[in-house]
Amino acid sequence: MRVLLTGAAGFIGSRIAVALRSAGHEVVAVDTMLPAAHGPAAEPPPQCHLVDIRDRDALKPLLEGVDVVCHQAAVVGAGVDAADAPSYAGHNDFGTAVLLAEMYAARCTRLVLASSMVVYGQGGYDCPEHGPVDPAARTRADLDAGVFEHRCPIGGERLRWHLVVEDAPLRPRSLYAASKAAQEHFALAWVESGAGSVVALRYHNVYGPNMPRDTPYSGVAAIFRSQLESGQRPRVFEDGGQMRDFVHVDDVAAANLAAVGAGLDGFNAFNVCSGRPVSIMEVATRLCEARGAGEPVVTGQYRSGDVRHIVASPEHAAQALGFRAAIDPRDGLAEFAFAPLRQPSHT
């Protein structure tokens, strides 16, 4: 198939391009080369068009003969304050709206959309007394006292996390999360109008070789790596008990390949995760052990907007897409301890 791949020069997009071409697909690669992600003077790699998907005239000819669009391009990160909202809305949401309009004009009816776990907000929790509940917000008094777990909004009991499934409500809690939820809503409306079909892939914590170093596009694994390389021990917020699902970038590429080949009708959302939750402390410890460094430093510090636990079920993707992550995070993180990282955007 002929696949238009946006964000093709990025950490995830570049691995998807390799997977698609290896599977025999023809890839039309495009990237805006945002300085925050690639550096101020970065050039697109060979076989990649320098195109802003908000530019309808530039996008139009690239969609000729395209069977499916794999949309990875996005501004990422939590956002610093409300002043960042136009950037998220402009790149992520307006960009997606333009892409959908041009797909409709070109009669391209299939979209694979990079979404994110952040659309779920706080994640899923159970109370030992009251069953599944929406957690009460963590109070500053609790956080200052080192009480990091959510409490039941009914009786105040300590909550336990559970795996989130795809029909959980979308409750974004950051500008980035709001923009990803809006992308899904635009895509769903496009499907409902009869324009085509969408597979939305909700990525969890993606890591792997060539992950960005020290940029807004860095994840916590890359931050820990940078601390280790500078001779510091990783600094872990809260008590390190925050649970996450770390999924290798090559597994994310495999999920996209499965979605491109699935041919599903309607709107379908899938968690893209390893199915093997690990704590942030375990991530830091695994990297330290692999590099022969000292133990991580548990700071007890916190960021008021951080989510305590967010982990999800991989079963729907396994059943409907035939996708299961192949790389156990414990093995992948040990390898990641020495994997190359992309240089900071200011160099």
Side-chain angles (χ1 to χ4, degrees):
M1 285 188 286
R2 185 175 172 88
V3 182
L4 176 69
L5 174 63
T6 73
F11 164 51
I12 296 174
S14 60
R15 297 307 302 164
I16 293 172
V18 170
L20 289 170
R21 290 184 175 121
S22 296
H25 297 293
E26 179 187 358
V27 177
V28 181
V30 302
D31 203 294
T32 310
M33 303 302 294
L34 289 176
H38 300 281
E43 296 290 334
Q47 298 181 296
C48 183
H49 301 273
L50 181 61
V51 169
D52 188 327
I53 62 168
R54 298 171 297 179
D55 183 344
R56 301 183 73 155
D57 291 337
L59 187 59
K60 192 185 301 289
L62 298 176
L63 280 163
E64 293 179 4
V66 166
D67 300 294
V68 56
V69 172
C70 191
H71 183 28
Q72 307 296 314
V75 171
V76 308
V80 177
D81 54 39
D84 295 320
S87 177
Y88 286 101
H91 285 281
N92 298 357
D93 302 333
F94 180 65
T96 298
V98 170
L99 178 62
L100 291 169
E102 291 305 313
M103 287 177 64
Y104 178 74
R107 292 192 170 94
C108 178
T109 61
R110 295 185 54 213
L111 174 70
V112 176
L113 172 67
S115 187
S116 171
M117 66 176 187
V118 297
V119 299
Y120 295 125
Q122 294 279 20
Y125 295 86
D126 294 314
C127 173
E129 295 294 326
H130 305 102
V133 294
D134 292 328
R138 298 190 292 176
T139 67
R140 186 171 294 276
D142 274 351
L143 293 169
D144 286 340
V147 178
F148 299 117
E149 298 297 343
H150 284 285
R151 297 181 184 273
C152 177
I154 302 170
E157 296 87 354
R158 175 173 166 162
L159 300 182
R160 299 182 297 241
W161 58 267
H162 67 240
L163 299 180
V164 177
V165 295
E166 287 83 352
D167 61 0
L170 305 190
R171 292 176 176 161
R173 300 178 67 250
S174 69
L175 294 173
Y176 172 59
S179 74
K180 298 310 286 185
Q183 281 185 308
E184 287 201 22
H185 289 148
F186 274 114
L188 174 59
W190 185 77
V191 171
E192 292 294 323
S193 74
S197 63
V198 173
V199 174
L201 300 176
R202 294 171 180 165
Y203 301 160
H204 284 250
N205 293 73
V206 186
Y207 72 98
N210 295 312
M211 194 173 186
R213 178 202 301 270
D214 302 332
T215 81
Y217 290 68
S218 300
V220 67
I223 292 170
F224 289 161
R225 266 286 309 274
S226 293
Q227 290 170 340
L228 283 165
E229 289 178 357
S230 64
Q232 305 173 55
R233 290 185 290 166
R235 297 180 60 80
V236 177
F237 280 16
E238 301 187 13
D239 59 359
Q242 309 94 308
M243 297 300 295
R244 297 291 189 271
D245 190 306
F246 283 77
V247 59
H248 195 278
V249 65
D250 286 343
D251 281 326
V252 173
N256 277 270
L257 185 61
V260 164
L264 299 176
D265 294 326
F267 181 94
N268 296 272
F270 298 99
N271 293 321
V272 176
C273 55
S274 72
R276 305 172 183 92
V278 295
S279 70
I280 295 297
M281 184 63 179
E282 187 174 355
V283 172
T285 300
R286 193 70 168 167
L287 292 171
C288 288
E289 289 174 348
R291 294 185 68 92
E295 294 182 353
V297 177
V298 179
T299 68
Q301 295 174 312
Y302 63 86
R303 293 174 294 197
S304 58
D306 279 0
V307 173
R308 178 61 178 174
H309 307 298
I310 177 70
V311 290
S313 170
E315 292 307 315
H316 186 37
Q319 293 167 7
L321 291 180
F323 165 75
R324 280 196 186 273
I327 301 172
D328 188 307
R330 293 160 184 84
D331 299 327
L333 287 165
E335 177 186 297
F336 178 68
F338 295 97
L341 298 179
R342 292 193 181 196
Q343 291 303 308
S345 62
H346 58 265
T347 61

